[in-house]
Amino acid sequence: MDSGRSKGDVPAPKSGRWINPKLLQLKVTLFLLFGATSALIPYLTIHMQSIGLTVEEVASVYLTLLFTSCLSPPLTGFLIDRFGRYKPVLLSSIVLNLVAHHCIHFIPPRADTVRQHTYSVGVSAKGLFMHIESNLGQCPHKWTLDVAQCSDGEVVENYPAYLFANGTDETSCGLYNVSKCVLQSTDRTVVTELIPSGSEYDRTFWMYLAVRFVATSMLASTLTITDPIALDMIEQHGGDFGREKLFSSVGMAIFTPLTGLMIDAMSRGKTVTVYTPAFYTYDALLLCSLVSVWLMPIGRKTPSENVLRDLGKLLRLPHVLAFLAFLFLLGNFWGFIESYLFVIMTAMGSPNYLLGLTYTVGTVASIPMMFLLDRITHRVGHVNLLVVAFFAHALRILGYSWISNPFWCFPIELNEAISCYFMWVVATTYCAVLAPTSMVATLIGVAGMVHFCLGKGIGSFVGGFLIARVGLKLAFRYVGYTAACCGVLYKLVHLLWLHKYDRERPPKAVVELVRRRASIVPKVDQFGSAISFTQQKATHGDQENIPEEQAPLEKG
């Protein structure tokens, strides 16, 4: 039986072909869905600022979106169970996702009042940078030069500027768009700072929050369904889960910087950044994904078990509680850097295409690491790798607080491959070590909710208020040092207590399933596995089949 199977089944889908033609539609769908998500979602934080929302309001938005991330996956699971088919729910989610996110583009920005400050502006001897003097001791919040006094309105982009307070203290103000005639002909010019009028939490805020709540719910619903669909098609036609999900990474790596380039092109010569390309790229890719999903042969859904069925048993295990607590902290740091990375890079004068390339660097760097996962984990150990993830977060966050040139982001973003992608695969395989065999799938589901839902939401919320109180640089520095301290604490707690709960070698079947279905793109698709860890119902009482029945899909 086994030999006949290996001859008949394995070569057809897997041997000699990188692309299985029966799974081509699945690859296209994953590429389009995740490409669309990465084309718009990363830019929404700075888009919120562009329409006049304050940092505190941005933090409040992220706190509210925490509930959508937690509620949408189980609601999606209920709808799938109700209709018994994936395709109608997925098509409806994509349509509502497209409409709701496009409505964000039409939310009117707040009106601006004008407050004027006079700065002494000059150019260095070699014309390499702009020299600013001011008794305010701070760079302008928004750089808007009064070009009406100039006959030549041609704009010079990304011109470096330095602030000299009291004639001596030098501070980098980043890169600015200025009129060429200002640089050539004037020593002093009037700089107009635009300050949002009215109070916080006004009509603009509540309109944005309502639309964004619906949009994020539909996005989470769309991404939730991709895992079980991929698993069903792979089980039917053969293939490898990680290889299929690789096309999600390709979409993310391509469209984030591509959208940034289009935003830069549309904003050239204008005083405000135009985010229209991000919204229309999102629309175009989702429309294409509708066609792809419509043509994809998706079968009926097998009823799935409740991921949280054994939650009470798990929470009575102290070592599991400790693991979830530190995973929650990792989620805090990840939520902070993901929500405010573009904010601090924009403050340094980063062009939008560079913002997009930060996604590409982390995604591409993570791919080879996935192939070395077994070897590295065997040599270093799960806990040590999770401690390394804390330090990778610390280096990544602190790095942005130390640099003034945004192009230094490339070496810093290499840490994302460890702190985000690699960390989650290590965490899910560690679940096979910590939990009893019959509860591995449940622990992975709970870990995903704790990290990606609670951790990320709280990190974004607290981080926003910290930035509002102490400023960007200091906030990043405080959070970075806290991440390093948490890494040291986790190692000490493990050495003194948690190590006695580690199993030397978990059941081979469990480890194989966890490793085989580990996703390499947890960054966007955070809850796909939450409703689909246990796709196959038990048909026999054989204990040998328990891991197979609870096959965890992990992140995907």
Side-chain angles (χ1 to χ4, degrees):
M1 294 283 295
D2 291 337
S3 60
R5 209 175 198 176
S6 62
K7 282 183 181 181
D9 294 338
V10 175
K14 295 184 181 179
S15 138
R17 286 184 180 179
W18 173 255
I19 295 183
N20 183 342
K22 295 181 179 179
L23 296 175
L24 181 61
Q25 210 66 47
L26 173 63
K27 294 176 174 64
V28 172
T29 300
L30 293 175
F31 174 82
L32 292 171
L33 284 177
F34 285 85
T37 303
S38 63
L40 175 62
I41 305 304
Y43 295 98
L44 286 182
T45 300
I46 51 179
H47 174 262
M48 280 189 272
Q49 290 188 311
S50 73
I51 64 173
L53 268 62
T54 63
V55 178
E56 291 96 334
E57 289 174 318
V58 171
S60 300
V61 168
Y62 281 124
L63 179 64
T64 306
L65 296 184
L66 166 66
F67 297 102
T68 70
S69 299
C70 294
L71 296 176
S72 184
L75 178 60
T76 303
F78 169 78
L79 291 174
I80 293 175
D81 283 331
R82 177 74 174 81
F83 291 104
R85 297 183 67 88
Y86 293 116
K87 187 176 287 188
V89 179
L90 180 54
L91 290 172
S92 302
S93 298
I94 292 175
V95 172
L96 294 173
N97 179 13
L98 187 156
V99 173
H101 274 96
H102 196 76
C103 287
I104 295 176
H105 183 48
F106 295 110
I107 295 177
R110 283 174 173 157
D112 291 323
T113 58
V114 176
R115 185 178 66 190
Q116 291 189 344
H117 292 302
T118 301
Y119 294 84
S120 177
V121 180
V123 183
S124 64
K126 295 184 179 180
L128 299 179
F129 64 89
M130 189 162 56
H131 182 284
I132 304 175
E133 291 185 1
S134 171
N135 56 5
L136 296 176
Q138 62 183 23
C139 301
H141 176 63
K142 288 185 179 180
W143 188 265
T144 309
L145 292 178
D146 185 7
V147 295
Q149 61 181 310
C150 303
S151 57
D152 178 11
E154 184 180 353
V155 172
V156 177
E157 294 190 286
N158 298 333
Y159 202 83
Y162 294 88
L163 176 69
F164 292 85
N166 302 321
T168 55
D169 299 332
E170 178 182 337
T171 304
S172 173
C173 292
L175 305 174
Y176 292 102
N177 296 341
V178 297
S179 176
K180 184 177 291 185
C181 65
V182 171
L183 296 176
Q184 294 174 344
S185 63
T186 184
D187 293 326
R188 295 185 65 84
T189 189
V190 175
V191 177
T192 303
E193 285 192 288
L194 303 179
I195 302 173
S197 63
S199 59
E200 293 182 322
Y201 302 103
D202 59 0
R203 182 171 174 270
T204 299
F205 170 80
W206 292 110
M207 186 186 304
Y208 184 92
L209 182 62
V211 176
R212 183 76 185 274
F213 188 93
V214 175
T216 303
S217 299
M218 292 302 101
L219 174 62
S221 177
T222 301
L223 299 180
T224 292
I225 312 173
T226 60
D227 264 358
I229 288 176
L231 179 62
D232 282 352
M233 294 187 68
I234 288 168
E235 288 178 346
Q236 182 180 355
H237 302 294
D240 180 81
F241 189 77
R243 182 178 295 182
E244 301 309 315
K245 297 298 290 184
L246 178 61
F247 288 84
S248 306
S249 296
V250 174
M252 293 169 59
I254 291 175
F255 286 104
T256 312
L258 182 61
T259 303
L261 282 171
M262 291 189 287
I263 292 173
D264 285 334
M266 287 284 291
S267 305
R268 188 170 294 120
K270 299 179 181 178
T271 57
V272 295
T273 304
V274 179
Y275 293 99
T276 301
F279 287 95
Y280 282 99
T281 301
Y282 189 77
D283 296 346
L285 291 173
L286 285 186
L287 286 173
C288 292
S289 72
L290 278 174
V291 178
S292 179
V293 170
W294 181 265
L295 297 175
M296 194 160 54
I298 305 174
R300 291 185 175 272
K301 178 191 178 295
T302 303
S304 55
E305 299 175 19
N306 186 358
V307 175
L308 303 181
R309 180 189 60 186
D310 296 323
L311 180 59
K313 296 179 182 178
L314 280 174
L315 295 183
R316 287 196 292 268
L317 302 174
H319 59 291
V320 171
L321 278 177
F323 167 70
L324 293 176
F326 283 102
L327 207 58
F328 168 78
L329 291 174
L330 281 168
N332 274 243
F333 303 127
W334 180 69
F336 174 81
I337 186 65
E338 288 300 307
S339 298
Y340 302 107
L341 169 61
F342 283 15
V343 176
I344 195 170
M345 288 190 65
T346 302
M348 287 187 279
S350 170
N352 287 286
Y353 75 86
L354 185 60
L355 302 180
L357 284 175
T358 60
Y359 261 53
T360 304
V361 171
T363 303
V364 173
S366 69
I367 294 174
M369 297 187 69
M370 293 303 112
F371 293 99
L372 301 174
L373 172 65
D374 291 340
R375 216 173 287 174
I376 296 174
T377 305
H378 179 72
R379 287 180 174 272
V380 181
H382 291 89
V383 172
N384 290 331
L385 289 174
L386 291 176
V387 171
V388 170
F390 275 107
F391 285 104
H393 272 305
L395 284 175
R396 189 179 176 207
I397 296 170
L398 286 171
Y400 284 104
S401 74
W402 290 332
I403 65 173
S404 57
N405 186 340
F407 284 89
W408 280 105
C409 69
F410 292 113
I412 294 174
E413 281 303 300
L414 292 175
N415 290 289
E416 186 189 23
I418 300 173
S419 64
C420 178
Y421 301 93
F422 194 66
M423 179 282 302
W424 178 245
V425 179
V426 170
T428 48
T429 55
Y430 192 39
C431 291
V433 176
L434 289 176
T437 300
S438 61
M439 288 191 274
V440 170
T442 303
L443 180 56
I444 294 174
V446 174
M449 293 180 184
V450 166
H451 181 79
F452 293 106
C453 175
L454 296 176
K456 182 188 177 188
I458 297 298
S460 301
F461 173 70
V462 174
F465 278 91
L466 183 62
I467 290 171
R469 298 296 179 271
V470 302
L472 271 171
K473 293 282 187 179
L474 280 180
F476 269 69
R477 205 156 292 173
Y478 291 158
V479 174
Y481 288 137
T482 304
C485 292
C486 288
V488 173
L489 178 63
Y490 187 31
K491 183 60 180 177
L492 289 176
V493 171
H494 184 266
L495 285 175
L496 298 176
W497 173 43
L498 294 176
H499 68 278
K500 63 183 179 182
Y501 294 104
D502 291 352
R503 286 186 287 174
E504 277 297 319
R505 191 177 295 275
K508 186 176 180 181
V510 175
V511 175
E512 174 61 26
L513 284 167
V514 170
R515 182 176 65 247
R516 176 167 61 88
R517 291 174 178 176
S519 170
I520 59 175
V521 286
K523 187 163 184 170
V524 177
D525 187 9
Q526 300 153 11
F527 300 100
S529 54
I531 63 167
S532 56
F533 286 117
T534 52
Q535 279 295 306
Q536 300 176 7
K537 296 287 280 185
T539 55
H540 303 288
D542 190 357
Q543 291 298 314
E544 286 293 311
N545 291 330
I546 289 177
E548 191 68 37
E549 295 159 9
Q550 294 186 340
L553 301 188
E554 297 191 8
K555 302 316 299 166

